[in-house]
C-alpha cells in the first residue's frame, strides 16, 4: 500500500469509530442519540473545512442533503427512525456526496438481505408466531408510551448495515479502489 496522508487516516479512524459506537448503541437501545450524532456532524464540518477548505464544506453540504434528505423522506413515510436520519446526516458530512450515495446503496442492500434472512428464519426456522416477538422491538421495552406503530414494529437496527457499508467504503478508499 502506498503512503496514505494523515488526514485520510483521521477520516478513516473517525468513520470506523463512529460507526462502531452507533452500531453498539442502536443494537443495545434501538436509539441513536443526539449526543452521538451532533458532535460527529460538527467534527465533520471542521474536518472538511480544515482539510479541504470551502470546496470541502460545499461537498459536505451536498452530501448532507443526499444522506440526511433521503432518510428524512423515508422517516416521513414511516420507513425509518429519526436516529437513522441523524446517523446518515452525520456520516455524510465526512463521506462526501459520492461515498454517501455508495453507503446508502450498500446499506439498503444489506438491510434487504437482513430482512429476508429474518423472514426466512421466522417462517422456516421456528415458525412465525414463535419468533415474532423476538425480532419486533416493542415501544414498551423502550419505556416510550408515545411511540407510534412504526416505532413499535422496527425490526432492524439500521446502524448495523450502515456501519458495514461504511467499513467497506473506507477499506476500498484506503486501498485506492474507490475515489471520494
Amino acid at each position: 500500500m502506498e503512503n496514505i496522508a494523515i488526514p485520510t487516516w483521521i477520516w478513516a479512524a473517525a468513520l470506523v469509530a463512529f460507526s462502531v459506537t452507533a452500531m453498539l448503541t442502536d443494537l443495545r437501545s434501538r436509539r441513536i442519540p443526539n449526543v452521538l450524532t451532533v458532535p460527529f456532524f460538527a467534527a465533520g464540518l471542521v474536518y472538511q473545512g480544515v482539510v479541504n477548505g470551502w470546496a470541502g464544506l460545499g461537498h459536505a453540504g451536498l452530501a448532507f442533503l443526499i444522506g440526511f434528505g433521503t432518510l428524512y423522506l423515508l422517516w416521513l413515510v414511516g420507513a425509518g427512525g429519526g436516529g437513522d436520519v441523524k446517523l446518515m446526516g452525520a456520516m455524510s458530512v465526512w463521506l462526501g456526496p459520492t461515498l454517501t450515495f455508495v453507503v446508502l446503496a450498500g446499506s439498503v442492500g444489506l438491510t434487504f438481505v437482513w430482512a429476508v434472512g429474518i423472514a426466512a428464519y421466522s417462517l422456516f426456522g421456528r415458525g412465525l408466531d414463535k419468533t415474532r416477538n423476538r425480532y419486533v422491538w416493542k415501544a414498551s421495552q423502550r419505556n416510550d408510551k408515545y411511540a407510534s406503530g412504526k416505532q413499535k414494529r422496527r425490526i432492524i437496527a439500521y446502524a448495523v448495515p450502515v456501519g458495514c457499508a461504511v467499513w467497506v467504503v473506507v477499506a476500498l478508499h484506503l486501498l485506492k479502489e474507490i475515489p471520494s
Side-chain angles (χ1 to χ4, degrees):
M1 183 186 324
E2 27 180 291
N3 192 11
I4 297 175
I6 297 293
T8 303
W9 284 111
I10 292 169
W11 173 84
L15 282 166
V16 169
F18 178 68
S19 63
V20 167
T21 305
M23 290 167 70
L24 293 174
T25 302
D26 202 11
L27 284 170
R28 284 187 193 140
S29 66
R30 299 292 196 233
R31 289 178 144 356
I32 303 171
N34 292 346
V35 174
L36 182 62
T37 56
V38 172
F40 191 70
F41 171 80
L45 290 176
V46 170
Y47 173 84
Q48 291 296 347
V50 169
V51 173
N52 299 314
W54 289 109
L57 289 173
H59 279 94
L62 178 58
F64 180 79
L65 288 174
I66 293 168
F68 184 89
T70 301
L71 287 187
Y72 182 72
L73 292 174
L74 292 174
W75 175 80
L76 284 175
V77 298
D84 302 331
V85 176
K86 293 177 284 186
L87 168 73
M88 270 315 299
M91 285 275 193
S92 63
V93 171
W94 286 84
L95 291 167
T98 304
L99 297 183
T100 295
F101 182 75
V102 172
V103 166
L104 279 170
S107 64
V108 166
L110 290 170
T111 301
F112 178 77
V113 169
W114 189 351
V116 167
I118 288 172
Y121 178 75
S122 294
L123 291 172
F124 303 113
R126 295 177 48 190
L128 183 60
D129 293 332
K130 293 179 184 176
T131 60
R132 180 171 169 75
N133 289 333
R134 183 174 178 189
Y135 294 107
V136 177
W137 188 263
K138 295 185 177 186
S140 61
Q141 291 172 310
R142 291 189 342 194
N143 296 322
D144 187 355
K145 63 183 176 182
Y146 302 108
S148 66
K150 70 179 179 182
Q151 292 167 322
K152 291 179 186 176
R153 294 182 348 118
R154 184 165 178 221
I155 296 173
I156 295 172
Y158 189 62
V160 174
V162 168
C164 292
V166 164
W167 297 345
V168 170
V169 164
V170 166
L172 290 174
H173 184 72
L174 290 176
L175 295 171
K176 302 291 184 194
E177 297 294 325
I178 186 171
S180 59

